[in-house]
Amino acid sequence: MPLSIRQMSSPGLHAAAGPGLAEECTTLGGCRTGMAKMTNAYDLPARKVIHTVGPKYAVKYHTAAENALSHCYRSCLELLIENGLESIAMGCIYTEAKNYPREPAAHVAIRTVRRFLEKQKGKITAVVFCTTTSSDTEIYKRLLPLYFPRDKKEEEIASLKLPADVGDENGETIIDERKIRIKPLPAGSAINKSATPAPVDIPLSDSGLTRSRNSFKLDSYLDPAFMSLIKDPDLRRKEQLEKSVQANKGFNWAKLVGFGDLGGPPLSAAEDYSLHSRHLAKANSLSLSEIAEMKIIYRGGVDSEGRPVMVVVGAHFLLRCLDLERFILYVVKEFEPLIQKPYSIVYFHSAASLQVRPDLGFMKRLQQILGRKHQRNLHAIYVLHPTLGLRTAILALQLFVDGEVWKKVIYVDRLVQLFRYVPREQLTIPDFVFQHDLEVNGGKGIIIDPRTKHKFT
């Protein structure tokens, strides 16, 4: 359980344990962040209670917070073994009061336990992750099979979805620049070289997805080949550099014609996942209210087939007044609930033709950050009031950025046509869109909107 020097957290646990637990906690002399201390369990159905202090989270000190959180879990497990105990139930040490993003913290928790069990699996029979919210439960259900694959299928999925950094041998974040690397001796070295046996990949146990309580074995989930899923950081950087050099060879015509930087190597599945996770964690830790107030993107209802809709208003995209980096973070944060399943986008280009638009290089980067789920689950992009310039830009996106996504564009010239795809009551439409529709399409077939009283055809 988390323990604070100034006051005890987990009041429900203290109430269940009785006054004895609080009295013993006062004798501990506090506890430093990342450390752990043990007390008796008193009225709780357990032999002992382990207390620890989780770190405060700030984006600026992301790595320090990750390593401190990893140390919390490792300290608890070390105390468990030192006291001859074999099982432990662990809550989410990262509390909302300390602003730690939930999913990145879950990655740290699970990978730290994974690393510890690789060394001490013979001394621990069970580790139970306890969650108190449905969102945390869903996160753990999704991440546990990545670090503890139970069959070959889950192992294949893990090899694609694991983050690029799964920590060092203790689960702490690896900082490549600080690593000491030892190269092999030259071939002509006089030092006697003994034959080194080739590493053997131990196959994953062919265990089923369900197990009885008595047959549960941790070692069946701890395949040493887990480390082989992640490439050596030096090799990974070398490959990235080679890809970048190859992609940037020759004349950069894209920048010359104003398309922006379209170079750079394609991302692997692991790099894609890691890039998206980093931006989502940062977005969840920031207040982006000034971007929200601009109403560039916002949630709509559902389309005619029940898919959720995201609305984008081109005229509100004021490039000169916008911090593009914060805008990207806001987009990632807003799109995250939608891209988990099929969804649609409605883009109002009404009165936006005079606004300065971001170049294709920016659009490519945004798509890379949104990731593969965005590409896979996007059903359609409905573009209202397209101009010739916009059609040309979208053609360029199809050819040079991502044909799969941008071929899903459906051009809509009139509001009435849009309502065939997305019902009127499912959209919050700015007033100027109605006015623009009247100006572009004339007054033929006038319809009065029941909400705004504007006329449109």
Side-chain angles (χ1 to χ4, degrees):
M1 62 170 281
L3 172 72
S4 171
I5 295 176
R6 295 183 180 179
Q7 60 179 1
M8 305 302 169
S9 60
S10 306
L13 194 67
H14 278 273
L21 179 60
E23 291 174 6
E24 185 174 353
C25 283
T26 60
T27 67
L28 296 178
C31 183
R32 295 176 61 187
T33 300
M35 298 292 105
K37 295 190 176 183
M38 180 177 283
T39 64
N40 292 314
Y42 298 94
D43 296 338
L44 294 170
R47 293 172 61 185
K48 296 288 182 179
V49 175
I50 297 176
H51 309 261
T52 188
V53 179
K56 291 182 179 180
Y57 182 83
V59 175
K60 184 178 180 180
Y61 304 110
H62 173 78
T63 301
E66 277 199 343
N67 290 340
L69 183 60
S70 176
H71 205 79
C72 287
Y73 284 95
R74 194 165 67 253
S75 297
C76 292
L77 294 170
E78 288 170 349
L79 265 183
L80 182 78
I81 291 178
E82 288 172 10
N83 288 270
L85 304 174
E86 296 182 346
S87 62
I88 184 172
M90 310 178 80
C92 297
I93 295 172
Y94 44 94
T95 61
E96 292 183 358
K98 295 194 175 183
N99 299 318
Y100 212 115
R102 313 303 288 176
E103 186 158 335
H107 274 285
V108 174
I110 300 171
R111 80 189 188 201
T112 302
V113 171
R114 163 81 204 209
R115 292 294 195 222
F116 194 88
L117 293 178
E118 287 173 355
K119 300 176 181 179
Q120 305 287 353
K121 63 182 179 183
K123 299 179 181 179
I124 298 178
T125 59
V127 176
V128 179
F129 289 101
C130 303
T131 58
T132 56
T133 65
S134 59
S135 59
D136 280 334
T137 301
E138 289 303 313
I139 289 172
Y140 273 83
K141 282 182 178 179
R142 181 158 40 84
L143 297 186
L144 276 170
L146 300 184
Y147 292 90
F148 294 91
R150 296 166 290 188
D151 54 25
K152 283 294 182 184
K153 182 178 180 181
E154 288 189 355
E155 187 178 11
E156 290 170 2
I157 294 172
S159 67
L160 295 174
K161 292 190 174 182
L162 271 173
D165 177 15
V166 292
D168 60 13
E169 68 276 5
N170 294 319
E172 293 188 359
T173 301
I174 298 173
I175 303 175
D176 292 337
E177 291 78 5
R178 298 182 185 176
K179 287 183 65 177
I180 298 175
R181 297 171 175 78
I182 302 175
K183 293 184 177 180
L185 291 170
S189 172
I191 297 176
N192 184 30
K193 300 182 286 294
S194 58
T196 304
V200 178
D201 284 345
I202 301 176
L204 198 67
S205 172
D206 196 15
S207 54
L209 297 183
T210 58
R211 294 173 173 269
S212 65
R213 185 183 182 93
N214 295 330
S215 66
F216 178 81
K217 297 288 185 183
L218 274 174
D219 55 352
S220 65
Y221 292 92
L222 296 178
D223 177 14
F226 172 74
M227 278 302 294
S228 66
L229 297 176
I230 303 301
K231 291 183 179 179
D232 176 83
D234 287 335
L235 179 59
R236 193 169 66 242
R237 286 195 169 196
K238 181 182 177 183
E239 289 180 354
Q240 289 174 346
L241 181 60
E242 290 173 348
K243 288 179 181 178
S244 295
V245 170
Q246 187 67 28
N248 291 324
K249 273 185 178 179
F251 184 69
N252 195 337
W253 58 268
K255 282 189 175 180
L256 181 66
V257 298
F259 283 178
D261 186 5
L262 297 180
L267 300 180
S268 67
E271 291 166 341
D272 179 285
Y273 184 85
S274 180
L275 180 67
H276 178 78
S277 298
R278 290 199 307 272
H279 280 80
L280 181 60
K282 187 173 182 180
N284 287 333
S285 68
L286 296 174
S287 171
L288 301 167
S289 56
E290 80 282 6
I291 308 293
E293 289 171 0
M294 296 179 75
K295 294 291 183 182
I296 302 170
I297 65 170
Y298 52 87
R299 287 286 301 271
V302 295
D303 63 18
S304 57
E305 297 183 10
R307 288 178 286 262
V309 172
M310 183 66 78
V311 179
V312 182
V313 183
H316 289 172
F317 190 92
L318 305 175
L319 192 58
R320 295 184 180 88
C321 308
L322 198 60
D323 183 330
L324 286 180
E325 291 304 313
R326 290 178 65 82
F327 175 71
I328 287 175
L329 294 175
Y330 182 74
V331 170
V332 171
K333 185 175 183 178
E334 289 299 300
F335 270 78
E336 181 62 17
L338 269 72
I339 63 178
Q340 308 302 322
K341 55 186 179 181
Y343 73 102
S344 299
I345 295 175
V346 171
Y347 172 60
F348 295 131
H349 192 60
S350 320
S353 58
L354 298 179
Q355 298 294 346
V356 180
R357 293 190 297 269
D359 59 32
L360 302 192
F362 172 83
M363 297 302 296
K364 178 181 179 179
R365 178 166 174 255
L366 180 58
Q367 279 193 211
Q368 285 182 328
I369 293 171
L370 285 174
R372 283 170 165 78
K373 281 186 290 188
H374 155 69
Q375 296 172 317
R376 182 174 62 251
N377 290 330
L378 177 62
H379 170 69
I381 305 175
Y382 301 107
V383 177
L384 179 66
H385 301 145
T387 59
L388 178 61
L390 181 65
R391 290 175 187 265
T392 304
I394 290 176
L395 177 61
L397 288 168
Q398 292 174 354
L399 295 175
F400 307 121
V401 175
D402 189 331
E404 180 184 351
V405 167
W406 293 101
K407 285 181 180 176
K408 296 179 181 179
V409 169
I410 297 174
Y411 294 114
V412 182
D413 295 318
R414 307 158 77 92
L415 270 170
V416 238
Q417 294 173 348
L418 176 64
F419 298 156
R420 298 172 189 169
Y421 302 106
V422 185
R424 167 66 190 93
E425 62 273 11
Q426 299 294 327
L427 291 172
T428 301
I429 303 175
D431 292 348
F432 69 84
V433 174
F434 293 98
Q435 181 63 34
H436 184 84
D437 194 71
L438 279 172
E439 293 173 356
V440 171
N441 296 311
K444 299 177 182 179
I446 292 178
I447 300 174
I448 300 177
D449 179 76
R451 183 183 65 86
T452 64
K453 304 303 181 183
H454 278 276
K455 299 177 181 179
F456 63 94
T457 58

